[in-house]
Amino acid sequence: MTWSESRCGLSCWRPANSDFASQAATNGATLCAIQSVISRCRSVTSGPVSVGLRHRGGIWPPLLPPCPDLPVAMVRTRFAPSPTGYLHIGGVRTALFNWLFARKHGGQFLLRIDDTDQQRNVEAALKPILDGFRWLGIDWDEGPEVGGPHAPYYQSQRSARYQTAVDRLLESGAAYRDFAKTEEVQAEREAAKKEERTFVYSRRFMAETDAQAAAFESEGRQGVVRIKTPRDGTLVIDDLVRGRVEFPWANEQDHVIQRADGTCLYHLASVVDDFDFQISHVIRAEEHLSNTPRQVFIAQALGYPLPQYAHLPYVAEPGSKTKMSKRKLDKYLKNVDFKKVNDQGLKIAQAIGLTTSAETFNPVIVDFYEQVGYLPDAIINYLLLLGWSLDDKTEIFSRDAMIANFSLERVNKAPASFDPQKLVSFQERYMNALPLKQKVALVLPYLQRAGLISSPPPCDTGPRLSAVLTAAGDRIKVAGDILECREFFVADDALEYDEAAFQKRLRDAPESVALLRKFRDRLATVEPFDVPTLEAALNEFVAAEGIKVAQIIHALRVALTGKGVGFGLFDTLAILGRESSLARIDRAVAKLAAS
RNA sequence: GCCCCCAUCGUCUAGAGGCCUAGGACGUCGGGUUCUCAGCCCGAUAACAGGGGUUCGAAUCCCCUUGGGGGUACCA
């Protein structure tokens, strides 16, 4: 049996215990696949490696004897953003899976910029994307800013490579110059549609010789280059997540690979780059599955070994299975959970004086989360579980744990819809686990940008912020939530009151106010002014007056913070200190008297 | 239209023919705890798209239907 005959999954395992170690499907002839399987085995064992077929339900005896001398191919993956000016959350998921796969197998992850279509300002449009990846902790071994042995990593700078490929394709007859006008092809397409058959270009304006080309050109026609797609036979792809997929060649088009102006199109460029960059695994979104045949055709015509393909399901819209796009923001905002996350972000952005536009600031775009104060680890953890799972219970993964456990085998086939609520739940868990010191550092810039703390901060900021964050506990879900606690950072005479709370707890509650005035004098002498002493003092006061705690505590909270809801009352008093507490009670009482 | 992919609670998922009376998480709804809020604890709700096979036995394998998604560009 030869490898090219094998269309089954390839596996390898540790001979010692036959433990299943790693699996890869192979697309017919790719030696690269075998090498990659072996290299993956190398990462888990140092002994001899057997390669054989894996069958659902069991491992079959090895078909090849251990062959330790086979060259070990490096795992190299890539993510290819186009410079659009923002980093889409779905793109991050794809990049994450590429990154995890490379890291898991000790390979490289690279970034290549798909700017065949863009003209200017690529750098500016790229910056938010690179910043986003950096913020998320997804690092790249080769690509923009870091360079690498295969530079340049911008498609716009690689046209010479593409031209060489086009020339070779033309020379071998795998591609041809075509002089049809757009309308002429369009007419054929419509005719096919009318007759309910698959459109196949007639090649009526195909020029296979220079003389033919010259003749067309003399008519004033302009030539593009098309691939000469086979018209019969079937292409079989063994996709690492979808398994065996077959495409009849007859349904494929003679796609254009080079425009009349000499610029090349994505499919050509992508195939050439993947070869040049020695990409071993092409891991990308499902939208490219149907595009794979034309890419395979180009690669094979060029004599390139094929990479392994893995097509990931989409990240779908909240509550739907449609691919998520930032263009349909209006629609997503009708989803209550999505809107909630969006509105909270907007509120924080406004409080820190951030000018936002829906284009670049919304929950589909990564920058949103950074600005609002989410934790990168929470987002990564959430995204990891969108289409992948380890088992039926593990949910929290450190970076090391996700790298150690990730595998393409466990990627789901069905699209997963983006659930803002679940993301928030991860964020809460991570925020909660964050050490106080880091929380302080995370939150401080928000207070500064909102003008509540100067920059550089006064020296009592650290302790006060720590005290506030401790008292706040899990009320701070994202860093920007600290702005909900502004009452601890404003001057006593600048405190704002929630009118509804003021009405309910003070104006409409004269008996509470009377108690408040009385307790104020007690507060003036409590020593020390700390939580246990304050609590004891209040309990004593309540007992002496024969009242319930609730009769005074709410009034006191409104007087101190201006709000009806907040931290524990004794925490609040202790943080404010005696002086502020008394001043605020006096101010509230005065306000009451004034109205 | 044609081609390709997909299908388990509202959502993310576990599930490799008997461990399934289908498990976990998020959400939702009750109850408890606390000075409010947040949290926490306890409980409940809720799914194998439909129909045919194969098999002693099907969420799991096969076929059909339905539904969803993607492709069919001189976009990426």
Side-chain angles (χ1 to χ4, degrees), chain A residues 9 80 280-281 319 372-373 394 427 434 459 480 536 568:
Chain A
S280 64
H281 295 75
V372 170
T394 318
Q427 167 64 19
L434 197 69
C459 50

Side-chain angles (χ1 to χ4, degrees), chain A residues 471 475 487-488 557 561 563-569 572:
Chain A
R475 290 173 182 85
E487 60 269 23
F488 294 99
R557 176 176 286 111
T561 67
K563 295 175 180 172
V565 297
F567 305 166
L569 210 256
T572 304

Side-chain angles (χ1 to χ4, degrees), chain A residues 90-160:
Chain A
V92 173
R93 206 275 308 254
T94 303
L96 173 66
F97 283 20
N98 272 283
W99 182 82
L100 286 170
F101 189 75
R103 293 288 171 262
K104 155 115 187 193
H105 298 293
Q108 284 102 41
F109 169 67
L110 33 167
L111 237 41
R112 175 237 289 169
I113 308 308
D114 278 14
D115 57 351
T116 48
D117 206 28
Q118 324 280 323
Q119 321 74 0
R120 56 200 144 82
N121 235 346
V122 166
E123 287 305 324
L126 194 55
K127 188 170 184 300
I129 294 168
L130 301 183
D131 286 347
F133 279 131
R134 265 188 289 260
W135 178 65
L136 290 165
I138 295 178
D139 56 339
W140 55 103
D141 303 296
E142 295 172 32
E145 295 186 5
V146 304
H150 305 284
Y153 293 89
Y154 293 78
Q155 289 194 326
S156 57
Q157 296 169 25
R158 303 181 58 78
S159 27

Side-chain angles (χ1 to χ4, degrees), chain A residues 264-533:
Chain A
C264 289
L265 269 65
Y266 168 75
H267 296 292
L268 190 267
S270 184
V271 167
V272 170
D273 288 341
D274 285 343
F275 172 72
D276 283 355
F277 298 160
Q278 293 171 30
I279 301 302
S280 64
H281 295 75
V282 171
I283 303 168
R284 57 184 11 172
E286 195 198 319
E287 66 194 37
H288 288 293
L289 182 57
S290 304
N291 294 333
T292 308
R294 69 190 83 154
Q295 296 185 3
V296 168
F297 175 80
I298 294 170
Q300 285 183 331
L302 255 10
Y304 297 164
L306 292 178
Q308 291 281 290
Y309 291 102
H311 288 94
L312 270 22
Y314 282 111
V315 174
E317 300 171 345
S320 145
K321 296 290 178 199
T322 313
K323 177 188 172 187
M324 191 161 66
S325 118
K326 67 145 198 165
R327 305 226 173 274
K328 297 197 233 161
L329 196 64
D330 291 348
K331 181 177 168 192
Y332 307 153
L333 288 174
K334 287 182 188 139
N335 175 294
V336 288
D337 302 323
F338 191 92
K339 187 173 189 315
K340 225 160 84 183
V341 171
N342 191 62
D343 289 352
Q344 181 212 25
L346 249 28
K347 193 173 163 192
I348 292 169
Q350 199 180 14
I352 58 174
L354 189 73
T355 40
T356 60
S357 86
E359 277 287 289
T360 53
F361 191 80
N362 69 66
V364 173
I365 290 163
V366 169
D367 197 47
F368 173 91
Y369 299 99
E370 183 179 0
Q371 299 291 355
V372 170
Y374 280 75
L375 263 5
D377 285 345
I379 292 172
I380 292 288
N381 200 149
Y382 170 71
L383 255 19
L384 173 71
L385 264 17
L386 210 52
W388 181 87
S389 67
L390 177 63
D391 53 30
D392 59 344
K393 39 184 72 76
T394 318
E395 288 221 302
I396 299 293
F397 289 86
S398 66
R399 295 289 167 133
D400 287 346
M402 51 181 96
I403 290 169
N405 288 297
F406 184 77
S407 73
L408 255 14
E409 282 166 63
R410 293 200 59 86
V411 172
N412 252 47
K413 291 182 187 164
S417 70
F418 178 73
D419 181 358
Q421 256 180 339
K422 192 138 186 176
L423 202 185
V424 166
S425 143
F426 275 99
Q427 167 64 19
E428 289 176 9
R429 283 194 251 180
Y430 273 89
M431 196 63 159
N432 222 288
L434 197 69
L436 181 61
K437 217 173 157 184
Q438 288 179 40
K439 237 189 221 183
V440 169
L442 191 65
V443 131
L444 178 61
Y446 288 86
L447 291 166
Q448 292 177 317
R449 290 172 72 181
L452 294 165
I453 287 183
S454 62
S455 184
C459 50
D460 66 334
T461 300
R464 165 155 281 219
L465 210 39
S466 297
V468 169
L469 285 170
T470 304
D474 32 39
R475 290 173 182 85
I476 308 286
K477 320 273 193 213
V478 300
D481 281 344
I482 191 66
L483 300 174
E484 299 289 320
C485 308
R486 59 192 312 128
E487 60 269 23
F488 294 99
F489 304 96
V490 298
D492 298 332
D493 57 4
L495 185 70
E496 289 173 10
Y497 298 94
D498 171 349
E499 281 307 325
F502 194 88
Q503 183 77 30
K504 180 176 176 193
R505 298 300 187 187
L506 294 171
R507 231 188 283 282
D508 292 348
E511 69 291 346
S512 290
V513 175
L515 290 163
L516 182 59
R517 301 174 80 134
K518 209 163 178 182
F519 188 60
R520 183 235 181 260
D521 296 334
R522 180 77 190 84
L523 281 177
T525 59
V526 168
E527 196 62 49
F529 204 81
D530 62 15
V531 173
T533 317

Side-chain angles (χ1 to χ4, degrees), chain A residues 250-267:
Chain A
N251 294 311
E252 291 298 314
Q253 304 301 319
D254 284 1
H255 294 282
V256 174
I257 53 173
Q258 187 175 39
R259 300 183 181 95
D261 66 3
T263 56
C264 289
L265 269 65
Y266 168 75
H267 296 292

